[in-house]
Amino acid sequence: EVQLVESGGGLVQPGGSLRLSCAASGFSFSTYSMNWVRQAPGKGLEWVSYISDSGTFIYYADSVKGRFTISRDKATSSLYLQLNSLRAEDTAVYYCARDLEVVPGTIFFDYWGQGTLVTVSS
Amino acid sequence: EIVLTQSPATLSLSPGERATLSCRASQSISTNLAWFQQKPGQPPRLLIYGASNRATGIPARFSGSGSGTDFTLTISSLEPEDFVVYYCQHRSNWPPITFGPGTKVDIK
């Protein structure tokens, strides 16, 4: 059974840092691209970042570029998101989501974790 | 950046009725569109990918159609558990990957 379990959220002051983790199990982690998606309280979904299966390709939303860093560890089947220079508008539930490419060019998020809440407030 | 617009924002219907949700893209995305359902306090669940393909385990009452810029999610006969929020999301000419603002289906 595919499982994605996020951790590392919490309350942090503006300008602070946090590191989120996503522990993957039930599938061959190193063969799947992964993403972070966030959802502010009561709001819609916002894609944050992508990392390819090998870690070669990395992309960010403009809203987090230069402040957040995505990474992955094949040995521990873990995905990470380092959040720096946090702002109030970064307050959200952060989900990790797996990519599935059924045919070249047809890619979608097929599994999601339960999410971890990040609150940026003084 | 491709912008997705969903309509209506809220759809008020009764159990057993047919629901038709719309998603429009600001430029052609072929069939690179997915639909997600989100229940309160839960992560999104994939319903439809490639505009019209039902994901594993999704009931047949859910169907998707469309290509280019106009897409539709249809729920043929609403069950009580279907009264939640639905999002469309594209995966064409990315990054960025964007979601629509969502349509809430509530009980009339």
Side-chain angles (χ1 to χ4, degrees):
Chain A
E1 180 194 3
V2 172
Q3 283 200 324
L4 299 170
V5 180
E6 301 93 338
S7 61
L11 175 63
V12 61
Q13 292 188 337
S17 299
L18 216 51
R19 190 194 197 203
L20 307 183
S21 301
C22 171
S25 60
F27 65 101
S28 179
F29 179 72
S30 62
T31 63
Y32 287 85
S33 298
M34 300 292 296
N35 298 264
W36 287 98
V37 177
R38 68 183 181 183
Q39 186 170 35
K43 302 297 183 182
L45 300 164
E46 179 187 18
W47 169 78
V48 172
S49 185
Y50 161 95
I51 186 167
S52 62
D53 53 358
S54 62
T56 302
F57 299 99
I58 287 175
Y59 306 119
Y60 298 98
D62 285 347
S63 58
V64 307
K65 202 172 292 182
R67 300 187 299 122
F68 292 8
T69 302
I70 192 172
S71 62
R72 61 190 299 159
D73 186 330
K74 176 182 177 180
T76 60
S77 296
S78 295
L79 176 71
Y80 301 102
L81 188 68
Q82 178 69 39
L83 290 63
N84 296 332
S85 303
L86 282 161
R87 307 166 180 167
E89 55 265 36
D90 295 319
T91 294
V93 173
Y94 285 73
Y95 298 102
C96 61
R98 189 182 83 165
D99 262 351
L100 181 63
E101 185 169 18
V102 291
V103 293
T106 300
I107 314 169
F108 48 90
F109 304 140
D110 66 338
Y111 281 95
W112 299 62
Q114 289 296 314
T116 186
L117 176 62
V118 173
T119 303
V120 184
S121 174
S122 55
Chain B
E1 174 177 326
I2 296 172
V3 177
L4 297 178
T5 305
Q6 290 186 245
S7 61
T10 303
L11 189 56
S12 296
L13 294 168
S14 300
E17 287 194 297
R18 182 184 188 90
T20 303
L21 287 67
S22 175
C23 178
R24 177 164 289 178
S26 59
Q27 60 185 268
S28 178
I29 58 171
S30 184
T31 56
N32 292 310
L33 188 94
W35 289 94
F36 294 88
Q37 177 193 66
Q38 189 176 32
K39 298 179 179 179
Q42 294 187 20
R45 177 175 72 147
L46 177 69
L47 297 177
I48 302 287
Y49 66 91
S52 61
N53 301 283
R54 258 192 314 276
T56 303
I58 301 303
R61 65 181 182 274
F62 292 93
S63 63
S65 64
S67 66
T69 60
D70 291 299
F71 301 85
T72 300
L73 174 69
T74 301
I75 310 171
S76 59
S77 178
L78 285 163
E79 297 288 338
E81 62 268 26
D82 298 337
F83 291 89
V84 291
V85 181
Y86 296 84
Y87 295 95
C88 59
Q89 173 246 320
H90 88 83
R91 202 69 180 259
S92 179
N93 293 329
W94 64 280
I97 299 164
T98 57
F99 292 85
T103 289
K104 181 179 182 181
V105 178
D106 67 13
I107 298 178
K108 189 174 182 180

